[in-house]
Amino acid sequence: MKKRVAIIGAGPAGLMAAEVLSQSDYEVHVYEQKPSAARKFLMAGKTGLNISHAEPVAQFIGRYDQAEWLEPWVRQWDAVWIQNWMKDLGIESYIGSSGRVFPIEMKAAPLLRAWLKRLQQQGVQFHYRHQCLELNAAALTVKDLVSEQLAVQHFDAIVLACGALSWSKLGSDGAWQQWLAKDEIEAFQASNAGVERQWSTFMQPVFGQPLKRVEAWVDDQAKTMGDIVISYYGLESGLIYKQGRALREQVKNGQTMQLYLDLLPDQTIAQLAQKLQPSKKQSLSNVWRKAGLDTAKASLVRELVAKALWNDPLALAQKVKHLLIPFSGFRPIEEAISCAGGIKREVLTEQLQLRSNPRVFCCGEMLDWDAPTGGYLLTACFATGRAAAEGVQNYLSAQE
Ligand SMILES: Cc1cc2nc3c(=O)[nH]c(=O)nc-3n(C[C@H](O)[C@H](O)[C@H](O)COP(=O)(O)OP(=O)(O)OC[C@H]3O[C@@H](n4cnc5c(N)ncnc54)[C@H](O)[C@@H]3O)c2cc1C
């Protein structure tokens, strides 16, 4: 009789596990509580599916907070591997000027369609609208959400690919956490999320406006450059996401969450101070604008720098290039692009097998790793999906 393997979750990690497992002589069942597969993956494709990144692999691996853990898998199934894999599915890709890898059509849907078709041809059995409610050893209690019927199914191995907590309407609701002991999971936190700050009413006219080409950093950490959007709730952008790990560290250490900005990184303090000299012929706003402070940047300076310094060119220049912004926290986890936290590395073997339940393997965003946006999230979901599936193959062949 064929060995039976269940995969819970038809997101990118679960589908990649299914791809590997369906190449062995197993009966592979994918349970997905939503009516269709990979809803978050499709959402990721809405603004252009950034599936990986073509930077040198050492730099690439350094983007993860659990670099050492993920390295063997991400090296093996890197951006080049992903591009070839897509090509094999009939989807051409390209590398953008920033090194980001996208399918040429940008969307996720054509890739997903081709992928699901191939998985079905390889014999994977999909059970949509089927929610796994309980996990006991190798038995799953599954609810058919249409008929409301419950069934207990037994498997030789189970892959958990249930995702983390954000955007729960797309399926990843975190209910799986009850299947594990509390100390097996690092508490989830919002990642790749905006930061919150209560602005004064003077900031309202610049809500939605970008702070262009600024540098951001946390304490003595590395600076990153890019744009930031001023929002009614605080600040948002990929540049903020890149500082997320350092911001979370501040909270963990009991410090106030705060970020430094250099609003005009192309000018030295001396150059800027020269331009910020008050003039009898020009208004302060004009002087600031000519010095490079557009409306959004000038509003932020007015909001955060004491008025007493506005006519002191050197002190003002120093502030513009070293502007401290405290925040009250991150946006809610529900809105975050991804989550930090998840199943801890030490409760898993090197095969991503749960030490407390050797028939269960875990992959994707439900594991305790994190990375900024830029294709790193999907790359690690694919890679851990494959690694968990190989773990299952090794485990099952050792049983023979
Ligand atoms: C708006 C947005 C944009 C993004 N853009 C990018 C991007 O451009 N590049 C990038 O790299 N990443 C991006 N991401 C992140 C990326 O989509 C996720 O990291 C990835 O989808 C996680 O994959 P996963 O398979 O681990 O989990 P998920 O994709 O969350 O899939 C988990 C699946 O498990 C199912 N499930 C959960 N519990 C059960 C249960 N009990 N029974 C049955 N089924 C269950 C869920 O319904 C879900 O379908 C984006 C995310 C968002 C929200």
Side-chain angles (χ1 to χ4, degrees), residues 8-15 31-34 36-41 43-45 47-52 102 130-133 161-164 166-167 170-176 179 335-338 363-366 369 372-379 381:
I8 309 177
L15 294 180
Y31 291 97
E32 170 54 57
Q33 61 189 355
K34 287 289 166 186
S36 58
R39 294 192 162 206
K40 196 179 270 186
F41 182 67
M43 177 58 80
T47 48
L49 185 71
N50 179 197
I51 203 157
S52 196
F102 299 90
H130 278 69
Q131 181 177 41
C132 297
L133 295 179
C162 306
S166 69
W167 288 66
L170 302 177
S172 54
D173 56 17
W176 57 267
W179 305 336
E335 286 177 27
I337 285 182
S338 67
C363 56
E365 217 187 291
M366 66 194 302
W369 57 265
T373 52
Y376 309 103
L377 299 166
L378 284 172
T379 301
C381 288

Side-chain angles (χ1 to χ4, degrees), residues 241-396:
Y241 304 164
K242 282 189 186 145
Q243 296 297 334
R245 197 186 308 170
L247 291 169
R248 274 196 303 278
E249 273 304 302
Q250 290 181 326
V251 178
K252 202 168 149 193
N253 297 334
Q255 296 164 251
T256 304
M257 190 194 270
Q258 53 188 24
L259 187 74
Y260 288 100
L261 290 185
D262 180 346
L263 295 179
L264 295 169
D266 299 325
Q267 300 185 45
T268 64
I269 291 176
Q271 286 167 336
L272 186 58
Q274 185 69 32
K275 293 183 189 166
L276 289 171
Q277 294 286 346
S279 153
K280 283 196 181 121
K281 293 186 196 145
Q282 293 185 74
S283 67
L284 195 65
S285 306
N286 245 348
V287 173
W288 286 17
R289 186 176 49 75
K290 285 185 180 165
L293 293 167
D294 60 18
T295 312
K297 288 181 180 176
S299 301
L300 200 63
V301 171
R302 284 177 193 272
E303 176 82 358
L304 295 165
V305 178
K307 206 170 179 177
L309 302 184
W310 293 2
N311 285 306
D312 178 339
L314 187 60
L316 185 60
Q318 279 163 344
K319 288 284 181 195
V320 168
K321 292 194 60 67
H322 208 262
L323 192 63
L324 181 64
I325 316 185
F327 302 103
S328 54
F330 285 105
R331 290 296 285 163
I333 206 163
E334 175 61 24
E335 286 177 27
I337 285 182
S338 67
C339 293
I343 302 173
K344 293 177 185 171
R345 179 182 180 178
E346 64 263 29
V347 309
L348 296 161
T349 68
E350 283 173 14
Q351 309 264 299
L352 293 177
Q353 177 183 36
L354 264 185
R355 292 184 195 280
S356 59
N357 186 349
R359 288 191 192 219
V360 175
F361 294 74
C362 308
C363 56
E365 217 187 291
M366 66 194 302
L367 303 181
D368 180 19
W369 57 265
D370 187 36
T373 52
Y376 309 103
L377 299 166
L378 284 172
T379 301
C381 288
F382 292 146
T384 55
R386 294 190 77 83
E390 288 191 356
V392 170
Q393 288 171 326
N394 292 338
Y395 169 72
L396 292 180

Side-chain angles (χ1 to χ4, degrees), residues 4 18-19 46 94 98 103 149 158 168 174 183 194 212 222 235 237 325 327-328 345 379:
R4 300 181 79 228
E19 175 158 310
K46 272 209 154 171
Y94 80 98
S98 60
Q149 299 258 317
I158 295 169
S168 59
D183 60 5
K212 287 208 167 139
L235 299 178
S237 81
I325 316 185
F327 302 103
S328 54
R345 179 182 180 178
T379 301

Side-chain angles (χ1 to χ4, degrees), residues 148-223:
E148 305 260 301
Q149 299 258 317
L150 290 182
V152 177
Q153 299 276 353
H154 292 267
F155 293 94
D156 296 286
I158 295 169
V159 178
L160 304 185
C162 306
L165 280 189
S166 69
W167 288 66
S168 59
K169 63 175 184 240
L170 302 177
S172 54
D173 56 17
W176 57 267
Q177 292 178 87
Q178 62 190 304
W179 305 336
L180 275 77
K182 229 179 168 183
D183 60 5
E184 288 182 303
I185 304 168
E186 187 65 43
F188 280 110
Q189 292 177 64
S191 177
N192 293 306
V195 283
E196 294 189 323
R197 175 183 171 85
Q198 181 109 42
W199 300 118
S200 74
T201 51
F202 295 107
M203 288 294 284
Q204 281 176 6
V206 291
F207 288 168
Q209 285 194 25
L211 297 163
K212 287 208 167 139
R213 238 187 108 67
V214 296
E215 265 182 352
W217 71 99
V218 171
D219 301 329
D220 54 357
Q221 310 271 320
K223 295 179 177 180

